[in-house]
Amino acid sequence: FLFNINLILQVLQYHIVRRRINKMDATKGNIYSILNGNKQFLIPVYQRYYSWEIEQCSRLWNDIVDMQKKGKAGHFVGSIVNIAEQAMPTGVQKYMIIDGQQRMTTLTLLLIALRNYAENHPEDKTINFRRIDCMLLRNEYEDGDERYKLLLTETDRDLLISLVEKKPIKNPGLSRIMLNYKFFVDKIADMELKPAEIYESIGKLQIVNITLDRNVDDAQAIFESLNSTGKELSESDLIRNYVLMGLEPKEQKYVYEHMWRPMELLFDYEKQDSIMDRFFRDYLTMKMTRIPKIDRVYETFKAYHLNCEFATIRELCNDLLTYATYYTNMIFKRSDNNILKSLYSDIGDLRMEVAFPFLLKVHNDCAEGIITEDDLIEIIKMCISYVFRRSICDIPTNSLNKTFATLRNEIKPDDYMNSIKAFFVLRDDYKEFPDDDKFSKAFETRDIYNMRSRNFILSHLENYGNKAPIIIENYTIEHIMPQNSNLKDEWKKMLGSNWHEIQKTYLHTIGNLTLTAYNSEMSDNPFMVKMNMKGGFKESALRLNAYLVKLTEWNEQHIKERAALLADKAEKIWAYPEITDSEIAPYRVQEKPAQRYSLETYDINAFTKMLFDMLDRRICNLSPNVKREFKKLYIAYKLDTNFVDIVVQKQRLRISLNMKFPKINDPKGLCHDITGLGRWGNGDVEVFFEHTSEIDDIMELIKQSYKLQADE
């Protein structure tokens, strides 16, 4: 046990030295020794709210029970790190908690539950509720906020004070304070341990109490060090701490109350950390037009702050609040404009969060009057159509984040709408915006039923132009031609001798899908039974079934005709940008006639051509997104930029991998470090392909460079 305590102290000492912290006072104790005396522990505004769940409380309780029943001398539960406020000759000594509020608050809830039990059971003389109340929960002779040993932030503060003062609590909201307090009340009532045993065991819980000197120690560095030792702080936790900790108390209070707290309240309580982490990443992407790595958002934010356009933290936080409002409006579908609210719902259904950095920009431009609300709506529709059409055409999505991250750079303020339309229309290859012809062909033949967005698609096809839209959740998807591989004879006869091939080809396509409230009744019945039954197609008021009621049979021709009709409607719902030739002309790049290269450009022989053909096929098969370009001196393979280049030599191929040499995993030692050396191609890694037996090893190296770029 003592070894564990010493180890913890050594680890903390190491991190404090590593962060160049100059002084600390670290002592081993328990919650009783920490709270005893005229003291108060405050949770600063930059700390996260109380967030321990029943799982953590249960683990603490089990440790207490196990320790008591096995007669253990103690159990280490962690550390509390605080900054001592300036000492006053009289009154309460205050400590600002940097780390440890979760366990300290939880132990306080347990003590309140134990006090209340003892007070309500005066016949049990083994525990003194007044001792708990006056020594561990309150400063008996103080008034106002100084009366309480522990002061939390915001609504948690009021709830904890109400529990200490035994005041009725009408609406605890979403705080975990009440849930965890009730957990301990129930555990004490179960009498697994006697109250006196619980009180004794709490005193055996060992805590390392570390008090820092405000004038000497670097609290921000300690906060980061604690996170590096494994404490699960989110990126937004670290950013909040960074933004608020360094402010003077008065300014800190103002920024927190007027900007930071209102921003936090915009986000869902239960998922606040994860959504705020995404917001900060998208905010930084929008500001810098590059995407921070997901685990480097905090570091990127610090670097951005040092070079941003804002002179003060207050200005920066005001900007964050502004953009967080746009962000949460999109996430939680908030708007007074019903069209915008519906579009936000579409964004959620398509999971197109990749567009948020760009959409943050255009929302702000709308708020500043640079574009109108109608322009904003048109731009959002354009983005939705772009993402949706690409998904129908099965174009991989791994380039979308970079496309939207840099799209703001394409905006021309004096020709705002046309510059965005031109950008989309002029995309090609893996970034293209599929035109009506490509989209319609894909829409008619695509397996819609097994797409994640199938309900989204059918709902929009049904509700387009409908003043009384349906709620898709009230219906199920119906295959007009049934899924049963052993079709009834009526179906086989209607579809013809090649019924099996027709079923295989068209079963899950849009032409064969509709909506019904009578899916189980329809089952795999013949077409005319489905037509005339109660709730059948003939009785249906759904627009999706309007084509069906005119028919007496269902076959390949009708499936294709209906698919074409629905594709026409889809073109209008998810429209292609409209821009005239004269409007797009300024955005067309006038390319100089360039010399075209091919494999024959290089000095290639039969052997090196065999090596090249083998390698070329394997590289191109990595993804449909891979583009091959014959350059003057080498062959380039790229996603957004080159990830591998090939130079044809007389008896071998020289391969350049576009990555830093220390990042390559090369167990067979095939690679050469060419950092700083002049070579044709890109990157710091060179490898030679000299024999067909090396192909698998070479591809493992190439895949690393490919994955590095694909993941960015």
Side-chain angles (χ1 to χ4, degrees), residues 59 78 340 484 488 512 517 567 598:
R59 191 179 303 137
L340 277 176
N484 191 338
K488 291 183 177 180
N512 192 52
S598 66

Side-chain angles (χ1 to χ4, degrees), residues 31-33 35-37 111-112 114-116 118-119 125-140 149 199-200:
I31 194 67
Y32 298 153
S33 62
L35 292 174
N36 190 25
L111 288 170
I112 295 172
L114 191 59
R115 177 204 65 179
N116 291 350
E119 187 174 8
K125 305 295 184 182
T126 61
I127 185 168
N128 187 336
F129 77 87
R130 291 187 181 86
R131 180 185 296 274
I132 297 175
D133 193 50
C134 298
M135 292 180 61
L136 305 176
L137 299 178
R138 292 192 280 197
N139 295 309
E140 185 178 7
K149 295 285 186 180
Y199 185 78
E200 179 185 351

Side-chain angles (χ1 to χ4, degrees), residues 584-639:
I584 203 172
Y587 300 96
R588 293 189 185 277
V589 177
Q590 298 297 321
E591 296 184 355
K592 297 178 180 179
Q595 181 178 349
R596 295 192 174 275
Y597 301 102
S598 66
L599 192 58
E600 287 67 35
T601 304
Y602 316 108
D603 185 13
I604 194 165
N605 55 47
F607 176 70
T608 51
K609 185 177 186 306
M610 177 184 66
L611 293 179
F612 174 80
D613 288 342
M614 179 184 293
L615 190 58
D616 175 70
R617 183 167 58 254
R618 293 282 294 269
I619 296 174
C620 290
N621 283 340
L622 287 173
S623 166
N625 292 338
V626 173
K627 294 172 62 179
R628 182 189 64 198
E629 293 182 3
F630 291 103
K631 304 288 188 180
K632 182 178 181 180
L633 301 172
Y634 58 87
I635 303 101
Y637 297 84
K638 62 173 62 180
L639 293 175

Side-chain angles (χ1 to χ4, degrees), residues 386 399-407 423-424 427 431:
Y386 178 60
S399 68
L400 282 177
N401 56 352
K402 290 184 180 178
T403 299
F404 282 112
T406 58
L407 180 48
F423 172 82
F424 280 129
R427 294 312 91 197
K431 289 187 178 181

Side-chain angles (χ1 to χ4, degrees), residues 607-608 610-612 614-615 618 650-655 670 687-699:
F607 176 70
T608 51
M610 177 184 66
L611 293 179
F612 174 80
M614 179 184 293
L615 190 58
R618 293 282 294 269
K650 288 187 177 181
Q651 295 300 321
R652 64 185 182 179
L653 303 180
R654 191 185 71 77
I655 299 166
L670 302 177
V687 63
F688 294 101
F689 183 26
E690 301 178 276
H691 195 278
T692 56
S693 62
E694 300 169 336
I695 183 67
D696 290 334
D697 294 331
I698 297 293
M699 281 306 302

Side-chain angles (χ1 to χ4, degrees), residues 259-277:
M259 296 159 196
W260 198 274
R261 182 59 179 165
M263 178 176 69
E264 286 184 330
L265 292 173
L266 293 171
F267 293 84
D268 178 79
Y269 181 89
E270 292 295 323
K271 300 178 181 177
Q272 187 178 94
D273 282 350
S274 62
I275 300 177
M276 284 193 75
D277 284 358

Side-chain angles (χ1 to χ4, degrees), residues 525-575:
N525 280 313
F527 179 70
M528 290 310 294
V529 173
K530 292 185 177 186
M531 178 70 72
N532 296 312
M533 64 181 286
K534 181 181 179 182
F537 300 140
K538 189 168 286 187
E539 291 185 5
S540 174
L542 296 179
R543 296 182 173 199
L544 279 170
N545 294 327
Y547 176 81
L548 303 178
V549 299
K550 307 171 186 176
L551 307 175
T552 57
E553 61 179 0
W554 189 245
N555 54 32
E556 181 179 14
Q557 177 187 345
H558 291 139
I559 294 173
K560 293 168 69 174
E561 286 178 358
R562 182 169 178 267
L565 291 172
L566 294 175
D568 287 342
K569 184 180 284 190
E571 286 180 16
K572 298 180 179 67
I573 299 171
W574 298 287

